[in-house]
Amino acid sequence: MTRFELFKTLRRHMKLSERRSLVWKQNKAAKIFLMIGAGFTILYLMFFAVIMALAANNSTSVSACELMYGFTPFILLIDFLFRFIMQQTPSQMLKPYSLLPLRKYDVVDCFLANSLMSSGNLIWFAMFIPYAIMSIVFAEGIFVTLAFLLGFYLLILINSQWYMLVRTLVNQHIVWWLLPLAVYLLLFSLWIIHLRIDPMMDMYACFGEKLSHGNVLCFALLLSLLAMLIAINRRVQHHFTWKELTQQKTTKLKHVSRLPFLDRFGETGEYVKLEVKSIMRNKNMRNSFIFANGIVLLLSIIISFTDIYDSPFMNTFWSVYNFAIYGAMILVKVMCNEGNYIDCLIVRKENLISLLRAKYYFYSILLIVPFMLMIPTLIMGKYTLLQLVAVMAFTMGVEYCVFLQMAVYNKQTIPLNTKFIGKGGMENSSMQIVIELLVFFVPIVFIMLATSLLGDTAGMVLVLVTGLVFIATHRLWIRNIYQRLMKRRYENFEGFRSSR
């Protein structure tokens, strides 16, 4: 079998695996929402293209190519962050081929080639092509237009390989997050040094102008960078996949935390212990927990000590976002980790209802962390005590109620420790993504409407009362979730077993 034939075969296998996936037939409504979201994304990009084209056509100081390339670091950063929603790393798909008589890097090379050919790399052209038609084609000719588009395409391909490398490394250890942080600080360094955006944009605009006019050295630099990232990626993906497949780890416990103060809460207390110990001992859960706390800390510092989010809308948005982090990153995947030992959880009647209550209590108590970290905003007058308490209560009541609904629909197991070769991950369920979007944006609309119609104080009182009602009735809606889950138990439990 030639490499081209192998590539076609593996590409066909990928398409078939998507259709055979446990989540292919479920969440059809969520997939429709995602398609609508993708459509709106394309419309927004076209809208930005029109705005920037009008600005370029009216400008006498910069060319159209310079204007768009001046925004390169922002485009690359946004592209990098959005890839975490959908794009998998090749190592997550290599396990079925690890024992086949293929050359060392054949499978990795095929998956890397497939990632370069992904249609997701073309979505930015919904902005680049209309912009080029309106501002570049008639002003500078077809050659400059093609070079302009080719330059951005190479940058997007480089970004796809950069994302893949970072995603693989941060799955290995959370400290690797320092790598992308350092790189993006370097990209924005001129802005940081001069405290003005103009020097940074001028530098990227100059580089983009040379690219658009066919500068051989600029294109050679981009092609060399792409080739280097591909070479690094193929080695990194192969190394960590085989390391995880072949390593044998033994856990040595020097001390067993018994958490005796939870004994008084009976079965629910035991499940709280299980949640705490799972976070302490299992790599995936521990990394998610640390990462969530890191985001809460970072956002709290930004909100407290900068003025970039001081508009009424942004204040509301980031307060909601900060409190919802634990739910969006951990609680939305409720039951996915428990899928590893679901058979042990169903041996006693109503075990799962105690589990759901324990998770609700544990993550509700964790909301004290963002509340305490946002106390400086009270001192600075950015938020009122009523506002923070109201948003925390709303998150604890309404938003956690929505997140826990996923216990009914989640049926794919997420590995507790393996990350590269595991079947579970961020991309498991499109319904999870839709729930996250709803929980982030619907509360903002509700809060903004309440405060605009009733006034700031009365509006936040309404938000607080709404949250308290859901908190007071949490046993009722958790029991409702449990009853609906039990109606689907055979389908869900089979999904958990088959996806281990």
Side-chain angles (χ1 to χ4, degrees):
M1 180 181 289
T2 65
R3 288 198 175 187
F4 181 69
E5 292 173 335
L6 177 62
F7 173 74
K8 289 196 302 181
T9 302
L10 293 180
R11 189 173 176 85
R12 180 170 173 269
H13 286 183
M14 285 182 62
K15 292 180 179 180
L16 290 175
S17 69
E18 290 173 358
R19 292 184 175 274
R20 292 169 179 167
S21 171
L22 296 168
V23 296
W24 176 261
K25 294 181 181 180
Q26 69 180 16
N27 307 326
K28 290 185 179 179
K31 290 183 175 68
I32 293 173
F33 276 113
L34 285 179
M35 292 174 63
I36 294 172
F40 274 109
T41 300
I42 292 173
L43 290 176
Y44 276 122
L45 290 174
M46 295 175 70
F47 174 70
F48 288 135
V50 172
I51 292 177
M52 295 187 70
L54 293 174
N57 294 340
N58 293 328
S59 176
T60 57
S61 58
V62 295
S63 68
C65 296
E66 289 176 330
L67 179 64
M68 182 61 79
Y69 271 99
F71 290 96
T72 297
F74 299 100
I75 293 172
L76 295 180
L77 178 59
I78 293 170
D79 180 70
F80 175 79
L81 294 175
F82 270 91
R83 288 179 185 274
F84 278 90
I85 299 176
M86 298 303 295
Q87 185 176 338
Q88 286 184 314
T89 58
S91 53
Q92 291 170 305
M93 300 173 280
L94 294 181
K95 185 180 179 181
Y97 307 97
S98 58
L99 298 178
L100 294 181
L102 299 172
R103 287 184 291 267
K104 186 176 181 181
Y105 289 108
D106 276 355
V107 180
V108 177
D109 290 341
C110 289
F111 281 116
L112 288 177
N114 188 68
S115 70
L116 291 172
M117 297 172 60
S118 170
S119 58
N121 294 326
L122 302 175
I123 193 167
W124 282 101
F125 283 85
M127 181 172 69
F128 298 146
I129 292 177
Y131 178 82
I133 292 173
M134 289 184 284
S135 298
I136 302 176
V137 173
F138 300 106
E140 303 193 54
I142 189 66
F143 174 79
V144 174
T145 302
L146 293 176
F148 167 84
L149 296 175
L150 179 59
F152 266 114
Y153 185 57
L154 288 175
L155 287 171
I156 296 300
L157 292 182
I158 290 170
N159 216 37
S160 73
Q161 296 301 302
W162 164 244
Y163 157 81
M164 198 176 296
L165 176 62
V166 171
R167 177 77 180 271
T168 303
L169 293 175
V170 299
N171 284 343
Q172 178 69 12
H173 201 287
I174 198 168
V175 174
W176 280 107
W177 276 109
L178 295 175
L179 175 63
L181 180 62
V183 169
Y184 286 107
L185 283 175
L186 181 63
L187 287 179
F188 290 92
S189 58
L190 286 179
W191 187 6
I192 298 170
I193 294 170
H194 296 280
L195 299 178
R196 292 188 301 114
I197 198 172
D198 295 346
M200 182 191 74
M201 297 189 70
D202 289 342
M203 183 186 72
Y204 291 106
C206 179
F207 181 77
E209 183 71 10
K210 292 179 180 179
L211 268 179
S212 301
H213 286 83
N215 187 290
V216 177
L217 289 177
C218 291
F219 276 103
L221 176 63
L222 293 184
L223 289 171
S224 300
L225 183 57
L226 178 60
M228 181 182 70
L229 285 172
I230 292 173
I232 295 173
N233 250 324
R234 68 196 297 264
R235 289 185 176 274
V236 168
Q237 300 289 339
H238 184 272
H239 169 74
F240 284 123
T241 301
W242 275 101
K243 179 182 177 182
E244 195 162 284
L245 279 169
T246 57
Q247 70 180 352
Q248 294 182 350
K249 282 190 175 182
T250 56
T251 303
K252 295 181 180 179
L253 296 177
K254 296 181 180 180
H255 175 70
V256 178
S257 301
R258 298 190 180 277
L259 306 175
F261 65 93
L262 292 173
D263 292 341
R264 71 187 70 178
F265 301 105
E267 194 173 77
T268 302
E270 293 299 319
Y271 281 114
V272 174
K273 290 182 185 180
L274 176 64
E275 189 72 16
V276 173
K277 291 182 179 181
S278 296
I279 291 171
M280 292 171 61
R281 297 179 182 179
N282 297 309
K283 179 181 177 182
N284 286 353
M285 295 184 68
R286 182 170 63 248
N287 285 349
S288 296
F289 185 74
I290 293 172
F291 191 44
N293 280 286
I295 292 179
V296 169
L297 176 61
L298 179 62
L299 284 179
S300 300
I301 292 173
I302 293 174
I303 295 169
S304 299
F305 301 106
T306 68
D307 57 0
I308 57 176
Y309 299 130
D310 280 355
S311 65
F313 173 79
M314 294 307 294
N315 269 342
T316 303
F317 176 79
W318 289 112
S319 63
V320 170
Y321 191 96
N322 211 20
F323 280 108
I325 287 293
Y326 294 116
M329 293 192 63
I330 304 174
L331 205 55
V332 75
K333 298 177 182 179
V334 59
M335 300 305 299
C336 290
N337 291 303
E338 286 73 20
N340 291 281
Y341 45 87
I342 192 67
D343 302 278
C344 301
L345 295 175
I346 58 176
V347 295
R348 292 181 61 187
K349 185 179 181 181
E350 296 193 348
N351 255 15
L352 294 183
I353 198 169
S354 297
L355 172 66
L356 294 175
R357 285 176 185 162
K359 285 182 174 290
Y360 176 72
Y361 297 149
F362 178 73
Y363 289 103
S364 294
I365 293 171
L366 274 182
L367 293 180
I368 296 174
V369 175
F371 181 82
M372 297 298 293
L373 290 174
M374 293 180 73
I375 285 180
T377 62
L378 298 178
I379 300 172
M380 297 177 182
K382 294 187 176 184
Y383 293 106
T384 63
L385 181 61
L386 173 62
Q387 186 175 0
L388 287 186
V389 173
V391 174
M392 184 172 72
F394 192 86
T395 302
M396 193 184 301
V398 179
E399 296 188 35
Y400 277 10
C401 174
V402 176
F403 282 129
L404 284 171
Q405 301 299 320
M406 291 304 300
V408 181
Y409 305 103
N410 287 337
K411 58 181 181 180
Q412 187 167 5
T413 301
I414 292 180
L416 294 174
N417 288 301
T418 58
K419 193 70 176 179
F420 301 106
I421 59 175
K423 300 178 184 178
M426 183 179 293
E427 309 84 354
N428 275 352
S429 170
S430 52
M431 181 174 283
Q432 291 177 2
I433 300 172
V434 172
I435 289 293
E436 290 168 352
L437 294 176
L438 288 176
V439 169
F440 282 141
F441 290 103
V442 172
I444 297 170
V445 175
F446 176 73
I447 293 172
M448 296 292 285
L449 285 175
T451 53
S452 61
L453 295 176
L454 303 176
D456 291 341
T457 302
M460 295 314 298
V461 168
L462 176 61
V463 173
L464 175 61
V465 170
T466 304
L468 291 176
V469 169
F470 275 80
I471 293 171
T473 59
H474 74 274
R475 285 183 171 270
L476 296 177
W477 52 259
I478 287 178
R479 179 165 290 277
N480 174 262
I481 292 172
Y482 168 74
Q483 290 170 346
R484 288 160 48 222
L485 169 61
M486 294 311 291
K487 289 181 180 178
R488 293 168 47 98
R489 61 186 180 277
Y490 297 115
E491 178 184 353
N492 285 15
F493 297 165
E494 179 60 29
F496 287 134
R497 294 186 187 104
S498 59
S499 59
R500 290 173 185 169

